[in-house]
Amino acid sequence: MDGYAVRGEETFGASDYTPLPFRLIGEAMPGRPFAGLLHSGDAVRIMTGAPLPQGADAVVMAEVAREIEGPGGREVAVTEAVPPGRHVGQIGEDIEAGQRLLSPGRVLRPRTWGPWRPWASRRSR
């Protein structure tokens, strides 16, 4: 989910009439995670597939937030509360242990290999 990684509890009370500001401290991309620690009042721009930054526990959808220029620099105005865990994928939720990912004999080409890399091992069966 594209949006902003935050501490979910800190968004409680956010609405269209009372947007809550968060300090924008960086971004997390697939393959290029945010290296810092998210503190109280911080937000990190995050794209689908990126790991959740340390200190964050929820993602505010981009559609309910807007970037603004605040007194201390770039901020994100959040207009919808998100509870902890919202819009956060869990390790293992998409594939079950022992589940077959590909049919035997399937030829992998560069464009089809990408989505399977997280499950690959040196000894794939």
Side-chain angles (χ1 to χ4, degrees):
M1 162 109 14
D2 292 350
Y4 299 90
V6 296
R7 293 180 176 186
E9 190 173 284
E10 294 181 349
T11 66
F12 294 169
S15 72
D16 288 331
Y17 299 106
T18 56
L20 297 179
F22 290 82
R23 186 175 45 256
L24 186 59
I25 61 169
E27 68 180 17
M29 308 289 279
R32 201 177 77 221
F34 177 71
L37 175 64
L38 189 132
H39 296 283
S40 180
D42 290 345
V44 171
R45 185 182 305 112
I46 189 167
M47 302 302 160
T48 303
L52 193 66
Q54 187 177 0
D57 63 9
V59 175
V60 174
M61 294 188 308
E63 294 83 354
V64 296
R66 67 181 185 283
E67 291 188 25
I68 58 173
E69 195 61 42
R74 295 296 290 170
E75 293 183 349
V76 178
V78 174
T79 61
E80 183 177 290
V82 292
R86 178 67 52 96
H87 307 302
V88 176
Q90 301 300 313
I91 294 173
E93 73 179 4
D94 46 0
I95 300 292
E96 294 181 23
Q99 181 178 347
R100 178 177 284 171
L101 299 179
L102 297 170
S103 302
R106 170 75 188 256
V107 176
L108 293 179
R109 294 181 173 79
R111 69 180 175 173
T112 58
W113 176 243
W116 304 110
R117 287 197 67 168
W119 299 283
S121 69
R122 293 180 190 266
R123 297 187 62 193
S124 297
R125 294 188 276 162

